[in-house]
Amino acid sequence: MSDWTWEWEGYVPESEQLRESLCTLGNGYFATRGAVPECRAGLVHCPGTYVAGCYNRLESTVAGRQVVNEDLVNLPNWLLLRFRVRRAGGAWGAWFTPDTHPVLDHRHALDLRRGTLTRAFRHRVDEGGVLAVEQTRLVHMGEPHLAALRTVFSAEGWSGEVEVRSGIDGDVINGNVHRYRALERRQLTGVRTGFQEPGTVWLTSRTSTSGVEVAMAARTAVTGAAPVTSVFPPTRRRAVHRLVVPLTPGRPVTVEKTVALHTSRDSAIGDPLGAAIDRVATAADFPRLLDSHAAAWERLWRGAEIQVPGRAGHVLRLHLFHLLQTLSPHTADLDVGVPARGLHGEAYRGHVFWDELFVLPYLNLHFPEVSRALLDYRYRRLPRACRTAAEAGRAGAMYPWQSGSDGREESQAWHLNPASGRWLPDHSRLQHHVGSAIAYNVWQYCEATGDTEYLHTKGAEMLLQIARFWAGLAAFDPGTGRYRIRGVVGPDEYHDAYPDAARPGLDDNTYTNVTAAWVLVRALELLRRLPAWRREELCDRIRLDADEPPRWEEVSRGLRVPFHQGVISQFEGYGDLAELDWDTYRARYGSIRRLDRILEAEGDMVNRYQASKQADVLMLGHLFSPAELGRLFARLGYAVDDEVWHRTVDYYLPRTSHGSTLSGLVHGLVLARARRAEAWQYVQEALEADVADIQGGTTGEGIHLGAMAGTLDLVQRGLTGLETREDALRFDPVPLPALSEYGFSLRYRGHWGVRVGRRSGQLEIRVPRSEESPLRVVLADGAVTVAPGQTCTLVVPEN
């Protein structure tokens, strides 16, 4: 295994779904899981192909209730390639599968540099012969509608024939998440198939309620021997090309399968089927497709490469690979958000949560055009967010916790606890802090890129409407003399109500209130910075009354932050909850990451305890530098110095079960900034979350994109203390001995390929030659200006 490859040896059925997720190939438009081509979906394998933004809505009857869910659709399986062999003069053997035929030397190799997955294995035809098979696949990064699979068959010690059935399987369901099996899962209807000589089959279908037309065409060609048979047998819900090819020792036979995929959501096409057939007919052969695909990946790596020694660097490169497969430059042309599980599986139904909060900080400094497109996804759904707020009797924009195709709230009203088998009310839609995450991303994108045009137009509309929502939701409490936000759920997610309360929601969640104050401050700052004509135009467009900004100012200084025992409370009353006997539960269950499910199955509830699923208050230390966080609390009238913050960190560390892959990531960065030795333990957990599937089966349902991107941001922004504000790159490096060396390039304003590296107590910033103005770099003890073509080396503290 090299720095650029990941390998899986042997065939282990119980690990196949995890491997399939980690071996997913994609290009930002669509992705295909790393399933073996000869197997259909079941408990072991889960072939899946997903187009970004292709959703469908179905109604199901669950536990006597009618529920409606929108899902990212599993599309027809283009990988399908089955084979069987017969020796000369013998009968056909059974169709090969690794579950029914013992395999020798079975190996998968994921090549990150070239974006390919290669599988090689051998299996015994009988006592006297072996068939060797090597398969290489790609989902083209340069041509986003193309994919290809090359299979090379070699006979060892025998002669005969191999029959290949190369097809597209339209008989698919959304079956990747087994706990969803009680729901309706057949998303496609109207399957039609056909063929076109000399070697192309096609299949078309549509999503059953959203009406998206999906078309695939597959061209199969053979080199190394002329097929004995080449026919297109009629089959139900499958398009199949059947080939029989002679095979002799020393003369390998290669089967190349090239696939085109189009949907009616695509731009610049009239008919998806015609476009797919035309595209596959004109596609190059596999060697040339591989060359152009590898060249496209090389260009991506030049703009996004990260260098960290050892195991950490190996994992970080895998994380970056999957980020780029989900959100590539092709994404800039699509109306899509950040799917929490990538395009790698069906968990969370392919929905968009707040995970862009962990993704955009990295993309802003590498692929800002992708960040802008992801913000546009939110902007297009701003009218729906305003309508949702109005329907709830609120002003401004109330964005949904889970978003899909059209911006309505996609969170479930009920969810299944696998530990108890009971369906329970789901109050996660009360996580209104998603609006603050959107506002944060708007601001950070504009600071990183200098995109004033976006800030003054679409960005301003979103920011002001979100500020308006917070100002309207905050209510003045004469008893405390403070503004309070009641009835919400914070990032913790475990706590969705007070014990024995009749209504869901909590009061004065600190993360919610502080980020709401930040949004209001930024909105006021933006109004001051706007040119007068634009300010008047914008206020008229959104009907912003003159008395609203003064209220924003008042609320931004008066929101309540609760405290108890000298630490910041997660929400009002958190300190009054019972303490949990953590040691007993760990001894009884081992992993208690999903403590909420464990307690519910016991007839108890997590709402009774001081127990958090993931970072909540501490999330503030992830978003804001210590200096900015101090300023925010000071504006609110609270003195939160290093001592108070460190006490708060110490308080929540033992009370967190880390039921989210984001938790280790946030704790690692917070502890690193606090100069704590245990920071590396949490960073390691974040790095291993998916590759080791630390949550026990969840990665097989799709990777955790926010956590993957967050580890990249941890190096780029966290360890360097990088901030992009006031037209400068600001650094305040923090020590993390296990990651004391790193290097990466970034794109800042007009400077492409700015190199940042740390080694031996020095931070080096190299600015490539260009016609741009010099770059201003600020550290705690001063500022320097680095001209294009120059390198600046700065001494940084090691502790």
Side-chain angles (χ1 to χ4, degrees):
M1 186 181 295
S2 75
D3 288 345
W4 287 91
T5 60
W6 284 75
E7 295 182 2
W8 288 262
E9 297 285 349
Y11 177 68
V12 185
E14 56 269 26
S15 300
E16 272 296 278
Q17 290 208 22
L18 170 61
R19 187 201 58 74
E20 288 175 3
S21 279
L22 295 177
C23 290
T24 295
L25 298 181
N27 57 26
Y29 171 75
F30 82 99
T32 296
R33 286 170 58 85
V36 293
E38 65 274 6
C39 292
R40 301 189 69 195
L43 294 176
V44 174
H45 305 285
C46 187
T49 290
Y50 310 98
V51 165
C54 183
Y55 292 98
N56 193 57
R57 196 179 304 278
L58 292 178
E59 184 175 291
S60 307
T61 303
V62 178
R65 297 182 178 88
Q66 296 300 115
V67 296
V68 177
N69 290 295
E70 183 179 68
D71 290 79
L72 187 70
V73 179
N74 181 22
L75 300 181
N77 177 21
W78 66 266
L79 275 176
L80 187 63
L81 191 137
R82 305 184 69 199
F83 64 87
R84 60 181 179 173
V85 299
R86 68 176 174 188
R87 296 189 66 128
W92 285 110
W95 294 101
F96 170 82
T97 75
D99 301 294
T100 58
H101 293 66
V103 289
L104 311 171
D105 312 319
H106 194 272
R107 182 176 67 90
H108 278 92
L110 180 65
D111 184 339
L112 307 184
R113 188 189 295 274
R114 293 162 61 85
T116 60
L117 176 64
T118 298
R119 174 199 189 199
F121 64 93
R122 299 161 68 240
H123 89 90
R124 294 196 180 278
V125 175
D126 55 29
E127 292 182 3
V130 169
L131 176 69
V133 181
E134 182 178 274
Q135 295 178 312
T136 302
R137 73 178 72 169
L138 60 88
V139 174
H140 206 286
M141 186 54 81
E143 297 284 343
H145 298 278
L146 289 180
L149 170 68
R150 178 181 63 192
T151 304
V152 180
F153 296 102
S154 301
E156 299 177 4
W158 65 283
S159 296
E161 294 176 326
V162 58
E163 177 182 351
V164 175
R165 293 202 173 197
S166 172
I168 307 169
D169 185 4
D171 190 20
V172 296
I173 61 172
N174 273 42
N176 173 230
V177 182
H178 294 306
R179 65 182 176 278
Y180 296 168
R181 60 187 176 274
L183 304 174
E184 292 294 327
R185 296 184 292 168
R186 189 168 294 281
Q187 309 283 348
L188 298 174
T189 188
V191 175
R192 293 188 300 115
T193 63
F195 66 92
Q196 184 168 300
E197 294 284 7
T200 297
V201 296
W202 56 262
L203 182 148
T204 182
S205 60
R206 69 178 183 277
T207 56
S208 61
T209 60
S210 57
V212 178
E213 294 182 38
V214 179
M216 292 184 181
R219 182 190 73 201
T220 306
V222 176
T223 59
V228 175
T229 303
S230 176
V231 297
F232 304 92
T235 57
R236 186 173 179 269
R237 300 179 71 88
R238 290 188 195 176
V240 176
H241 186 181
R242 177 179 176 269
L243 300 133
V244 176
V245 185
L247 204 57
T248 57
R251 295 189 60 187
V253 169
T254 300
V255 177
E256 293 183 4
K257 181 179 184 179
T258 307
V259 176
L261 165 59
H262 276 280
T263 82
S264 56
R265 298 181 79 245
D266 297 344
S267 302
I269 64 166
D271 166 38
L273 178 58
I277 293 173
D278 180 67
R279 191 173 293 271
V280 82
T282 57
D285 59 15
F286 190 90
R288 287 186 293 166
L289 281 177
L290 180 58
D291 285 346
S292 57
H293 169 69
W297 266 108
E298 184 181 357
R299 292 190 294 272
L300 275 185
W301 286 120
R302 278 202 300 267
E305 172 61 291
I306 186 168
Q307 293 179 346
V308 173
R311 168 74 175 180
H314 195 211
V315 175
L316 284 164
R317 188 170 284 128
L318 178 70
H319 288 181
L320 180 52
F321 177 73
H322 285 302
L323 174 64
L324 295 177
Q325 292 194 123
T326 308
L327 303 169
S328 80
H330 300 301
T331 308
D333 296 325
L334 306 176
D335 177 33
V336 297
V338 176
R341 294 303 195 95
L343 298 174
H344 297 60
E346 296 159 19
Y348 301 161
R349 299 182 170 81
H351 289 164
V352 176
F353 294 71
W354 69 328
D355 296 66
E356 65 233 59
L357 187 63
F358 301 89
V359 173
L360 263 63
Y362 179 82
L363 291 179
N364 289 341
L365 293 169
H366 297 275
F367 304 100
E369 66 280 3
V370 177
S371 290
R372 180 168 175 148
L374 296 171
L375 292 174
D376 280 347
Y377 169 86
R378 295 296 193 178
Y379 178 73
R380 294 186 189 103
R381 287 149 185 82
L382 178 60
R384 185 63 183 248
C386 291
R387 193 175 104 194
T388 302
E391 289 169 351
R394 303 296 179 189
M398 186 166 78
Y399 276 96
W401 176 238
Q402 294 188 39
S403 183
S405 60
D406 61 10
R408 76 182 77 176
E409 177 62 75
E410 300 293 352
S411 298
Q412 301 173 78
W414 298 85
H415 72 270
L416 174 68
N417 179 1
S420 68
R422 287 189 286 267
W423 286 84
L424 307 167
D426 190 327
H427 302 304
S428 60
R429 66 185 61 222
L430 296 177
Q431 292 190 73
H432 300 317
H433 60 82
V434 65
S436 294
I438 294 166
Y440 181 90
N441 282 326
V442 167
W443 191 266
Q444 296 300 331
Y445 161 76
C446 294
E447 286 283 312
T449 61
D451 191 346
T452 341
E453 184 268 338
Y454 197 87
L455 181 62
H456 289 182
T457 54
K458 296 176 181 178
E461 285 191 49
M462 286 188 279
L463 189 59
L464 296 185
Q465 292 286 26
I466 294 166
R468 204 178 212 175
F469 171 76
W470 285 130
L473 192 61
F476 185 74
D477 176 19
T480 61
R482 287 276 180 176
Y483 283 92
R484 307 187 66 182
I485 295 176
R486 301 179 186 270
V488 300
V489 171
D492 160 38
E493 294 186 332
Y494 272 178
H495 295 90
D496 62 0
Y498 290 102
D500 305 318
R503 294 183 178 180
L506 305 160
D507 300 337
D508 297 326
N509 173 259
T510 291
Y511 175 84
T512 300
N513 286 13
V514 172
T515 55
W518 181 89
V519 172
L520 291 164
V521 172
R522 296 285 80 83
L524 290 165
E525 181 181 342
L526 176 58
L527 283 174
R528 288 192 296 269
R529 284 165 52 174
L530 283 173
W533 66 269
R534 175 56 188 153
R535 183 168 55 248
E536 292 172 9
E537 182 182 72
L538 180 60
C539 291
D540 181 63
R541 176 178 172 83
I542 68 172
R543 299 186 179 183
L544 185 70
D545 295 334
D547 61 347
E548 291 188 67
R551 176 178 167 82
W552 298 359
E553 178 75 29
E554 187 177 337
V555 174
S556 73
R557 295 182 182 277
L559 278 165
R560 185 167 186 271
V561 174
F563 289 77
H564 71 278
Q565 299 178 27
V567 304
I568 306 166
S569 297
Q570 185 170 304
F571 51 80
E572 176 61 34
Y574 185 88
D576 298 329
L577 300 178
E579 291 283 9
L580 183 77
D581 186 348
W582 291 87
D583 291 340
T584 295
Y585 277 91
R586 287 193 177 96
R588 187 183 305 167
Y589 292 99
S591 172
I592 56 170
R593 292 182 185 276
R594 291 313 306 263
L595 182 64
D596 57 334
R597 293 175 174 174
I598 290 172
L599 290 171
E600 194 278 329
E602 290 187 348
D604 203 346
M605 63 172 62
V606 76
N607 281 332
R608 294 180 54 227
Y609 300 100
Q610 294 185 39
S612 300
K613 176 183 176 182
Q614 58 188 313
D616 195 299
V617 174
L618 302 192
M619 262 297 299
L620 295 170
H622 176 81
L623 294 186
F624 305 114
S625 68
E628 186 171 7
L629 192 55
R631 289 193 296 270
L632 271 172
F633 277 110
R635 181 184 178 90
L636 289 167
Y638 298 100
V640 177
D641 56 15
D642 285 349
E643 183 181 347
V644 172
W645 180 250
H646 291 170
R647 273 204 311 268
T648 301
V649 171
D650 288 340
Y651 188 85
Y652 288 103
L653 277 176
R655 291 173 172 83
T656 305
S657 73
H658 305 294
S660 164
T661 55
L662 296 171
S663 191
L665 167 71
V666 173
H667 281 81
L669 176 53
V670 168
L671 289 170
R673 283 179 169 170
R675 270 59 172 178
R676 297 282 290 273
E678 63 264 49
W680 176 238
Q681 167 194 337
Y682 292 96
V683 173
Q684 276 188 304
E685 180 177 302
L687 289 170
E688 298 294 327
D690 274 330
V691 297
D693 194 14
I694 63 173
Q695 290 194 331
T698 64
T699 302
E701 302 168 350
I703 54 99
H704 297 81
L705 190 65
M708 283 191 170
T711 60
L712 302 168
D713 179 51
L714 185 143
V715 175
Q716 176 178 280
R717 183 177 63 94
L719 298 185
T720 63
L722 173 62
E723 292 183 276
T724 54
R725 57 183 174 87
E726 299 170 0
D727 299 323
L729 289 178
R730 297 171 178 269
F731 294 94
D732 183 16
V734 300
L736 188 62
L739 284 179
S740 58
E741 292 185 19
Y742 50 79
F744 56 85
S745 62
L746 53 83
R747 179 172 151 192
Y748 179 67
R749 308 290 174 93
H751 297 280
W752 292 51
V754 175
R755 185 72 185 171
V756 178
R758 177 171 180 166
R759 186 175 183 181
S760 303
Q762 293 183 326
L763 189 70
E764 182 181 276
I765 297 105
R766 185 171 70 245
V767 181
R769 294 185 180 278
S770 72
E771 298 300 315
E772 294 292 324
S773 302
L775 186 62
R776 187 163 169 261
V777 176
V778 178
L779 274 84
D781 56 355
V784 295
T785 301
V786 188
Q790 291 186 344
T791 299
C792 174
T793 302
L794 307 164
V795 177
V796 294
E798 291 294 322
N799 52 51

